[in-house]
């Protein structure tokens, strides 16, 4: 949650490092890999590519043997962002492709949308506007598929159900207030 705040809290990196150390001490490799991944993302957001690359590679070393596919894909994505930051578009595209293969096998439309968007940016920076256009079209396709996917429909359905439940509770509160008011009026 803190990572999404703007500006990023000053103590976030120290908190994530402590989380990573505790995860390592208590032999929780999944938590450790995720903390390292969050460190990579945080360093990428504050434009420190060397640190972002270091933590993404450390996370990748833990996630590959554990076969946590979504986290492997995310690490490759962050490595692509690091390469893009350094204007190494070919390397960025290679990292995006690695992530893309995993996201495609997992049918992660949100990740595929982001990957194709960043791939389009990389091709554009290289001056390959035809490939950039193709990747942009893929971004639109994934965005449309995401918006009409069963997963998205399920999320929207849950939101509607939550709203209905909230309205039902509010109705009960109003009815209770009305009963109380009738008793007061009768008295």
């Amino acid at each position: 949650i803190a990572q999404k705040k703007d500006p990023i809290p000053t103590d976030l990196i120290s908190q994530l490092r402590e989380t990573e150390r505790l995860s390592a001490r208590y032999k929780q490799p999944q938590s450790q890999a995720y903390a390292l991944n969050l460190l990579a993302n945080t360093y990428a957001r504050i434009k420190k590519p060397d640190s972002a690359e270091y933590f993404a590679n450390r996370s990748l070393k833990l996630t590959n043997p554990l076969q946590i596919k979504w986290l492997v894909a995310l690490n490759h994505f962050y490595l692509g962002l690091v390469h893009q930051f350094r204007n190494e578009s070919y390397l960025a595209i290679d990292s995006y492709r690695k992530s893309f293969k995993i996201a495609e096998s997992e049918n992660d439309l949100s990740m595929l949308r982001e990957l194709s968007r960043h791939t389009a940016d990389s091709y554009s920076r290289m001056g390959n506007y035809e490939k950039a256009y193709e990747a942009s079209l893929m971004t639109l396709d994934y965005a449309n598929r995401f918006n009409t996917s069963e997963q998205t429909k399920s999320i929207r359905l849950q939101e509607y159900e939550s709203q209905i439940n909230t309205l039902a509770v509010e109705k009960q509160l109003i009815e209770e207030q009305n009963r109380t008011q009738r008793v007061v009026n009768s008295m």
Side-chain angles (χ1 to χ4, degrees), residues 31-99:
S31 298
Q32 183 181 5
Y34 189 52
L36 291 166
N37 177 273
L38 291 173
L39 279 163
N41 184 13
T42 303
Y43 278 113
R45 289 185 66 211
I46 61 174
K47 306 214 181 334
K48 293 189 176 182
D50 294 337
S51 296
E53 181 179 37
Y54 171 76
F55 287 109
N57 280 322
R58 282 192 57 207
S59 179
L60 202 52
K61 285 179 184 174
L62 287 173
T63 55
N64 275 329
L66 295 171
Q67 296 184 349
I68 306 171
K69 291 182 180 182
W70 67 271
L71 199 49
V72 172
L74 204 53
N75 283 316
H76 283 297
F77 175 67
Y78 292 148
L79 289 172
L81 293 177
V82 166
H83 292 303
Q84 193 62 47
F85 183 80
R86 294 178 179 155
N87 291 320
E88 301 168 341
S89 295
Y90 287 107
L91 294 172
I93 290 169
D94 185 52
S95 291
Y96 295 149
R97 280 186 184 139
K98 290 175 184 174
S99 182

Side-chain angles (χ1 to χ4, degrees), residues 2-3 12 25 36 41 53 79 81 96 116 134 176 185:
Q3 188 183 40
L12 178 61
R25 181 186 308 159
L36 291 166
N41 184 13
E53 181 179 37
L79 289 172
L81 293 177
Y96 295 149
S116 57
E134 289 173 13
E176 185 64 34
N185 289 344

Side-chain angles (χ1 to χ4, degrees), residues 70-177:
W70 67 271
L71 199 49
V72 172
L74 204 53
N75 283 316
H76 283 297
F77 175 67
Y78 292 148
L79 289 172
L81 293 177
V82 166
H83 292 303
Q84 193 62 47
F85 183 80
R86 294 178 179 155
N87 291 320
E88 301 168 341
S89 295
Y90 287 107
L91 294 172
I93 290 169
D94 185 52
S95 291
Y96 295 149
R97 280 186 184 139
K98 290 175 184 174
S99 182
F100 194 90
K101 286 179 185 176
I102 297 167
E104 200 169 40
S105 73
E106 298 289 308
N107 197 31
D108 186 343
L109 296 173
S110 176
M111 185 69 160
L112 290 167
R113 181 186 61 205
E114 284 301 304
L115 286 164
S116 57
R117 184 173 70 86
H118 285 282
T119 300
D121 181 52
S122 295
Y123 278 123
S124 177
R125 289 178 185 213
M126 292 168 36
N128 189 339
Y129 300 112
E130 186 176 322
K131 291 268 190 186
Y133 179 70
E134 289 173 13
S136 293
L137 289 177
M138 288 175 56
T139 302
L140 290 173
D141 180 51
Y142 287 124
N144 288 335
R145 286 172 49 191
F146 176 77
N147 290 333
T148 60
S149 73
E150 291 301 318
Q151 178 184 14
T152 305
K153 288 178 186 176
S154 174
I155 291 169
R156 288 183 186 150
L157 183 60
Q158 288 175 352
E159 288 174 355
Y160 292 141
E161 287 175 357
S162 175
Q163 289 174 352
I164 289 169
N165 290 339
T166 301
L167 290 172
V169 169
E170 288 175 2
K171 180 182 175 189
Q172 286 177 333
L173 287 172
I174 290 171
E175 289 173 353
E176 185 64 34
Q177 288 173 344

Side-chain angles (χ1 to χ4, degrees), residues 178-187:
N178 287 340
R179 277 192 293 266
T180 304
Q181 189 62 45
R182 280 193 295 266
V183 169
V184 169
N185 289 344
S186 295
M187 292 175 75

Side-chain angles (χ1 to χ4, degrees), residues 10-37:
T10 54
D11 64 338
L12 178 61
I13 290 173
S14 58
Q15 288 177 5
L16 289 171
R17 285 182 172 225
E18 180 63 19
T19 301
E20 189 267 330
R21 280 192 287 276
L22 289 171
S23 299
R25 181 186 308 159
Y26 294 109
K27 297 181 184 355
Q28 298 291 321
Q30 294 94 340
S31 298
Q32 183 181 5
Y34 189 52
L36 291 166
N37 177 273

